[in-house]
Structures are given as C-alpha cells and as structure tokens.
C-alpha cells in the first residue's frame, strides 16, 4: 500500500512522492503541448536519492535548470552532482550522502 508523502502541482505539471514498503517513488507528468504528456516514474530504496530526484522534478516544473554540476575536476570535466559521480577524492558516496547540498564544488 502506497503512502503519499508529498504532492506538487501547477497548471502544467503534477509531481507525487510516495512510499511503498521500503521503496520511495517519484511520479511526474508534464503537459508539453496539445494532448502530449511527458510521464516518468523513479523508484529507489535510498531516501536521499529519492529526495534529490523530487527536487529535480519540482525545479523542472517551475521552469528551472534541474541538475547542478560538480566542478571538482575543473571546467572541462564537469558532471552531474549525484551519488554515483561524487569523486573518491572527496569521499565518494559517503561524502555525497552527508554533504551534497552544501558542497563547495557544486555549481550550475
């Protein structure tokens, strides 16, 4: 049985965050043009990853840029700020789980 944790909606987008057992699910649907919807479902067991995806979907719904970049390697080698891309020199997954929102290398 799913438990709804958060819902966001505006005139073109609906985003839903729910928990089903030990899985966290982010569902989104965006109306892009006459009769065309962009729908997506993201499921994970990691709460932090689910929150990151939820924030990304809400940012897209508000018309913003969804991903922040990691500037640790320099301008030519930037990648998306997420658990799998966090450099081992910084601490990798453990560093990302604790500090990803306040990381000094996180930029647009």
């Amino acid at each position: 049985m799913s438990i709804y944790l958060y819902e966001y909606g505006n005139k073109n987008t609906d985003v839903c965050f729910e928990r089903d057992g030990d899985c966290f699910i982010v569902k989104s649907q965006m109306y892009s043009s006459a009769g065309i919807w962009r729908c997506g479902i993201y499921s994970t067991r990691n709460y932090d990853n689910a929150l990151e995806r939820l924030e990304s979907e809400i940012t897209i719904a508000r018309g913003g840029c969804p991903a922040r970049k990691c500037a640790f390697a320099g301008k030519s080698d930037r990648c998306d700020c997420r658990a799998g891309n966090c450099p081992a020199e910084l601490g990798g997954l453990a560093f990302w789980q604790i500090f990803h929102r306040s990381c000094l290398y996180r930029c647009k």
Side-chain angles (χ1 to χ4, degrees):
M1 183 167 125
S2 294
I3 300 170
Y4 287 89
L5 302 173
Y6 183 79
E7 289 182 337
Y8 172 81
N10 61 22
K11 66 180 183 175
N12 294 327
T13 308
D14 293 318
V15 180
C16 176
F17 181 49
E18 59 187 68
R19 180 178 180 192
D20 188 8
D22 62 347
C23 290
F24 297 96
I25 303 165
V26 178
K27 297 178 185 177
S28 66
Q29 64 180 22
M30 179 181 289
Y31 180 75
S32 58
S33 63
I36 298 175
W37 291 85
R38 181 189 68 88
C39 300
I41 297 176
Y42 176 76
S43 175
T44 183
R45 292 178 186 215
N46 187 321
Y47 182 70
D48 290 330
N49 290 347
L51 280 182
E52 190 75 17
R53 181 61 174 247
L54 177 66
E55 289 174 3
S56 175
E57 292 293 334
I58 291 174
T59 301
I60 291 171
R62 292 180 177 160
C65 180
R68 299 221 180 249
K69 301 289 183 182
C70 179
F72 181 77
K75 288 190 176 237
S76 63
D77 208 12
R78 291 189 177 176
C79 61
D80 291 343
C81 180
R82 59 181 177 200
N85 292 341
C86 192
E89 292 87 355
L90 291 177
L93 176 64
F95 179 86
W96 187 87
Q97 287 176 339
I98 298 170
F99 298 114
H100 72 278
R101 291 196 176 117
S102 62
C103 181
L104 296 175
Y105 297 104
R106 191 174 170 159
C107 64
K108 284 221 174 203

